[in-house]
Amino acid sequence: MSVEASAPLAVRLARTIVHGRQPAFSAEVRGKLRLCVLDFLACTLEAYSLPWARQAAALAEKGDGRCTIIGSTSHAFVGDAAFANAVAAHGLVREDMHTGSVSHLGVVVLPALFAVAQDQRLPGTAFVEAAIVGYEVGAKVGRALVTPQFARTFRPTGFTGPIAAAAALCHLLRLDEAETTSALAFAANMTGGLNQWPHTGSDEMYFHAGQAAAGAIRAVRLAMSGARGSARALDGEAGLLRAYRPDRSAPDITLFDGAEPEIMSVYFKAAPVCNFAQTPCQAAIKLASEEQIDPARVAAIKVRVSAAAQAYPGCDYVGPFERVLQAKMSIQFAVASALLRRSVDEDSYRVLNDPAIMRLAELVNIDVAPDLTAAFPMAQGAEIIVSLDDGRNLTRHLRDVVPADQGLIRRRFMTAASKFAGEVRAHALEGAVDMLDTLPDISIILQSIGAPANQPA
């Protein structure tokens, strides 16, 4: 075994992060990152006034911080801004998704980077490269760590997020190898998040992203101050991977070893629902749009999904629905709404006890499909079979989730940004994101979104 291969995993990751073994990022990869930023901003601008977002913002300490909390008239210190913006970005359950790690990396990596880059007045090129590194590290760690069994108990984003954001910040701030190794070690110790919340639709989920972003900043600052973490924090006997993997193994992780960076595997949600409800509701929308279905004549509904989808807490839940988050996690609710409305959006969740939706939701049976399980996570397919009272079965199958495309992402951004800041400022903000690589100061992105247009800046 070579010296390189026998080195602790955190050291090997740090060497790649520090010494630039990642390839020069193509225009396509950089373009994908800009879409991630637009999607992040759209979600945050739509959700900043929701209760959990306001609760997170209210925790910010008063003082002379210079980081933007989106939707706030005041500025905050770095950690507080990252926490608040991460919570808001997660508030719609419509954030970007990396299926292989079962993680929402953008709502941790991007708010942490925005806060630190704004505080340090850093340029856009450094931001873009650091973000791509962060997505890569979080995705690779998640692929090695997260299984359906893990996700039944632990929140994947709470485990991948701190390490992803810490790696991004180390790259952004040009930490050396020893500092980066320690930052990754401290971030591994700041992972956490339990998946009990889907059972009741409680609010912990929103705060997982905020805690991960703020924890990453603390991890990096500790390393910069001279604190030293264990080089075996990821792969040691009691390291992260061995601690949480059922077989107690520590798979090797190599960054940028695929045909393209992991950020290219990130997709954008079409509907504001759990990742595992996306494809089932899309299959239901397709069926309802192509067939004339009388809801009163529906006798049974079978939804075939992967084992990972059925196992994720809250996804196989027929009700009752007392909180919006319960309904947004439920495949049954999403499919019922899709069949009735031919769409799934925020309006689907205005009334949780609609008798027509509840009747159909109660007819939905979730069936684990071996073929879809074998295809996951490379493909996230689903099939819906609606049985009518005359004996007919109507079926639609999707091999994989259909992501929101660039056009939809930009429309959602412009709608949210125009409502928040006015159309002129919205176009300027979109233009700044499109020129992200060339911005001399990342604060240009944030200066228009500290307060709504109808409030004083």
Side-chain angles (χ1 to χ4, degrees), residues 122-125 431-433 435-445:
L122 297 176
T125 297
V433 174
M435 298 295 291
L436 185 59
D437 297 71
T438 64
L439 294 181
D441 181 351
I442 204 69
S443 296
I444 295 171
I445 296 290

Side-chain angles (χ1 to χ4, degrees), residues 258-445:
E260 56 187 14
E262 287 282 1
I263 193 172
M264 300 306 291
S265 297
V266 169
Y267 85 88
F268 304 104
K269 290 182 178 179
V273 300
C274 174
N275 167 62
F276 291 117
Q278 293 287 319
T279 322
C281 76
Q282 289 177 341
I285 291 170
K286 182 176 176 64
L287 178 61
S289 299
E290 296 174 352
E291 302 280 356
Q292 295 296 321
I293 300 176
D294 180 356
R297 303 196 63 181
V298 175
I301 304 169
K302 178 186 287 188
V303 179
R304 299 177 70 248
V305 297
S306 69
Q310 190 276 331
Y312 199 86
C315 288
D316 186 1
Y317 180 64
V318 72
F321 301 98
E322 298 177 354
R323 296 173 65 88
V324 168
L325 196 49
Q326 282 178 303
K328 287 194 171 189
M329 294 301 297
S330 169
I331 293 173
Q332 284 91 336
F333 192 102
V335 166
S337 179
L339 289 173
L340 282 172
R341 301 180 64 249
R342 298 186 179 89
S343 68
V344 176
D345 52 28
E346 288 298 319
D347 287 340
S348 302
Y349 299 93
R350 304 297 182 196
V351 179
L352 300 181
N353 60 352
D354 182 292
I357 289 181
M358 291 307 300
R359 176 185 176 274
L360 290 183
E362 290 169 359
L363 295 175
V364 175
N365 179 59
I366 305 298
D367 183 36
V368 174
D371 57 324
L372 300 178
T373 298
F376 183 84
M378 294 301 294
Q380 186 168 284
E383 183 178 37
I384 182 171
I385 305 166
V386 174
S387 299
L388 303 179
D389 59 8
D390 61 4
R392 288 185 297 148
N393 291 323
L394 305 177
T395 302
R396 291 296 184 277
H397 177 273
L398 290 178
R399 188 191 68 82
D400 200 1
V401 65
V402 180
D405 61 19
Q406 180 174 172
L408 178 56
I409 293 165
R410 289 187 178 275
R411 289 194 298 275
R412 292 194 303 208
F413 170 80
M414 283 303 300
T415 298
S418 296
K419 181 178 179 181
F420 179 89
E423 189 171 346
V424 172
R425 289 165 67 188
H427 280 292
L429 180 57
E430 182 182 30
V433 174
D434 284 336
M435 298 295 291
L436 185 59
D437 297 71
T438 64
L439 294 181
D441 181 351
I442 204 69
S443 296
I444 295 171
I445 296 290

